[in-house]
Amino acid sequence: MASGKYAKEMDALKEHLAKHHLKFTRQRELILNAFLRQEHITAEAMYHQLAKTDPHLGLATIYRTLNLFCDAGIAQARHFGSQTQYDNVSHKGHHDHLICTGCGKIVEFENCEIEKLQEEVAARNGFSIQTHRLELYGLCTRCRN
Amino acid sequence: MASGKYAKEMDALKEHLAKHHLKFTRQRELILNAFLRQEHITAEAMYHQLAKTDPHLGLATIYRTLNLFCDAGIAQARHFGSQTQYDNVSHKGHHDHLICTGCGKIVEFENCEIEKLQEEVAARNGFSIQTHRLELYGLCTRCRN
DNA sequence: TTGAAATTGATAAGCCCTCTCAAAATTCTA
DNA sequence: TAGAATTTTGAGAGGGCTTATCAATTTCAA
């Protein structure tokens, strides 16, 4: 049992590592702690952020580790524009996105009723939801003219 | 007024072209007709599909044209994996997905209540929805053991 | 402690998409 | 309708983001 601020996710990671014969490294711990402070981040952004304290951390390692987090259910990759955003699944207030197809504007929102209906749909099909992704595409007020 | 199976979209395209001082070309007509037969397609897939009958149609032209369709409101780009999917906006019968993170099983579903709530959220934020994407990730019955 | 196996960092390579530019096609003008 | 002006096309070069490669290092189980 790990202790500390992010004990739950640390345990989830360790369990995933053990199950797949992977190893717990300084870099993985480092990147996990940095990642969990964010709601969502790109590999590039994390690279620059960590470079301040760990200048020798490679970009490839960041990518590999964030993808590992996705496998472990801690992160979720989302393609946004030309880059990949890694979302923090455990972040409270999971939010969804309204995306304007005209100007690219993004509005975040949260809706409990929708989430409840999602649970119902999942239950009807024998699924237990771990996470979800909802993106609404349309035109914002300004672009509708 | 265009005639034929896809008259409505053809008119929409011509109107957009006229408004922006662009030209109506053989390639644009060709690609539009091929595109409207699909629910969604990638530029690469369309390139190979059209190569059978028009081997000299360039990939860059496909990309340019599909992006033009997006500007004209006929198509909509969506990043999926490493590629861009161009969705046929006029296509009805949108469905969502339940995805098992254990075995990869995918179940399609449709839920009017969720769609209604989506409309409400969008309206509250001044958006008019063109399309959406909803994916629920979790474990199916079998994988939960 | 020791050896097998996994990971790392640097960079090359790959993929997807856009840019460039001369030749061709379309549209406008008279 | 002929010619001029403008846009588009096709082919390949270029660019951004991500993954593959590989020798050196680190982890972990026995």
Side-chain angles (χ1 to χ4, degrees), chain B residues 52-132:
Chain B
K52 295 169 194 161
T53 49
D54 287 71
H56 294 298
L57 199 56
L59 183 57
T61 300
I62 309 264
Y63 273 106
R64 279 186 294 233
T65 305
L66 289 173
N67 287 332
L68 171 70
F69 292 170
C70 290
D71 294 342
I74 295 167
Q76 192 175 130
R78 187 164 46 91
H79 300 281
F80 209 75
S82 62
Q83 284 186 294
T84 300
Q85 288 278 347
Y86 290 88
D87 292 358
N88 182 343
V89 168
S90 76
H91 199 285
K92 299 286 194 301
H94 183 94
H95 53 261
D96 300 310
H97 294 118
L98 259 167
I99 301 166
C100 179
T101 56
C103 63
K105 188 169 101 174
I106 294 172
V107 176
E108 298 186 348
F109 70 89
E110 236 186 300
N111 189 298
C112 301
E113 293 180 79
I114 291 180
E115 310 236 343
K116 206 188 292 177
L117 287 168
Q118 289 175 356
E119 290 290 350
E120 288 176 22
V121 168
R124 263 202 294 285
N125 289 279
F127 276 67
S128 60
I129 296 184
Q130 293 169 323
T131 183
H132 72 265

Side-chain angles (χ1 to χ4, degrees), chain A residues 23-24 60 63 67 82 84:
Chain A
K23 293 172 179 177
F24 186 74
Y63 272 106
N67 287 334
S82 63
T84 300

Side-chain angles (χ1 to χ4, degrees), chain A residues 4-5 8-9 13 15-16 25 35 44 46 55 60 67-68 72 89 93 97 103-104 112-113 133-134 136 139 145:
Chain A
K5 196 171 174 189
K8 180 169 148 264
E9 287 77 17
L13 175 61
E15 189 184 327
H16 178 85
T25 64
F35 176 70
E44 193 77 27
M46 174 153 282
N67 287 334
L68 171 70
V89 167
H97 293 117
C103 63
C112 301
E113 294 180 78
R133 170 201 313 237
L134 172 58
L136 305 180
L139 290 172
N145 305 332

